Amino acid sequence: MRTRPVLLVIAHGSRDPRHAATVDALVRRVRSLRPGLRVETGFLDFTLPSVHGVLESLAAEGVRDVVALPLLLTRAFHAKADIPAVLRDAPPRLRIRQAEVLGPSPLLLSALERRLYEAGLTPADKSSTGVVLASAGSTDPEAIAVIADIAREWWHTGWCAVRPAFASASLPTTEEAVRELRAQGCATVAVAPYVLAPGFLPDRIARGAAGADVLAEVLGPAPEVARLLLERYDGARAPRLTAVGA
């Protein structure tokens, strides 16, 4: 039987210990969904083990195939530059396929709604509730455009309004988006952090949500996020079809 590639989850890393603890909880959920799949975690910064260190260890064990999965919600700088650079520096014996980033995906919208309902909302509240989709922010125009598209798509599922907001690099801020929804007349204003783990920027989102009625938790180890990791892993493993005439 052919050995399945190791799934290497590549997380950003943070000086905040809550970040690594949340990533670990998500990885444990992934393992529980697919027993027998080897799942490892490497961090780009601040936290050990490093991505390079994990790749070196896998190569030393004799592992040949790895699917590297960026634990990122948009294709910004880390996905386009940092992670490919680290993977290019991997031991040459490893065959590495880089999976797509997690977003956008309907599973993430389901996870966002799960967190809002866990924070006290109900499906009956949707039509009277304005939601701030609060992301970390980026200087990458593609990533910003994706967040705006997600907000529009989510609004069409029945919310009073959905406004994108950013903790850094872009506007509006979470606080500004909360005020916009108040001015629009939404009876309830909720903030849904579109981030995977706690840390400096998620804390900034929380401070900006002070004027909101509801603040959801980060996505973290939501079941939908764990399923999405496996979906991206399977997509990276799938044979790539060559177009006729290529």
Side-chain angles (χ1 to χ4, degrees), residues 14-83:
S14 171
R15 293 186 178 91
D16 189 324
R18 295 174 299 166
H19 176 90
T22 302
V23 173
D24 287 345
L26 175 58
V27 167
R28 287 196 302 272
R29 175 155 265 166
V30 171
R31 291 184 181 125
S32 72
L33 290 175
R34 191 166 296 181
L37 173 63
R38 182 173 178 181
V39 187
E40 300 290 343
T41 308
F43 296 89
L44 291 172
D45 286 305
F46 306 120
T47 310
L48 293 175
S50 69
V51 177
H52 182 74
V54 174
L55 291 171
E56 291 278 359
S57 296
L58 291 173
E61 289 180 32
V63 170
R64 295 297 302 276
D65 293 300
V66 176
V67 169
L69 196 160
L71 198 61
L72 302 169
L73 296 174
T74 60
R75 286 194 73 253
F77 183 79
H78 291 303
K80 294 177 179 178
D82 285 350
I83 291 175

Side-chain angles (χ1 to χ4, degrees), residues 134-140 144 165-174 200-202 204-205:
S135 74
S138 173
T139 57
D140 188 311
I144 297 303
F166 307 94
S168 67
S170 305
L171 294 174
T173 65
T174 302
F200 177 75
L201 293 179
R204 182 179 290 176
I205 289 171

Side-chain angles (χ1 to χ4, degrees), residues 192-207:
Y194 190 62
V195 293
L196 288 164
F200 177 75
L201 293 179
D203 284 349
R204 182 179 290 176
I205 289 171
R207 290 193 296 272

Side-chain angles (χ1 to χ4, degrees), residues 3-15:
T3 304
R4 287 182 290 185
V6 172
L7 170 55
L8 172 58
V9 176
I10 300 179
H12 184 277
S14 171
R15 293 186 178 91

Side-chain angles (χ1 to χ4, degrees), residues 73-140:
L73 296 174
T74 60
R75 286 194 73 253
F77 183 79
H78 291 303
K80 294 177 179 178
D82 285 350
I83 291 175
V86 172
L87 298 181
R88 283 194 298 269
D89 194 37
R93 67 171 288 128
L94 292 175
R95 291 189 293 258
I96 302 175
R97 282 166 282 186
Q98 183 175 332
E100 295 294 330
V101 298
L102 299 181
S105 168
L107 285 169
L108 290 174
L109 290 182
S110 296
L112 286 165
E113 294 206 357
R114 171 188 292 275
R115 291 302 188 227
L116 285 171
Y117 297 151
E118 289 171 349
L121 294 179
T122 71
D125 297 319
K126 289 185 76 167
S127 63
S128 60
T129 300
V131 180
V132 177
L133 180 68
S135 74
S138 173
T139 57
D140 188 311

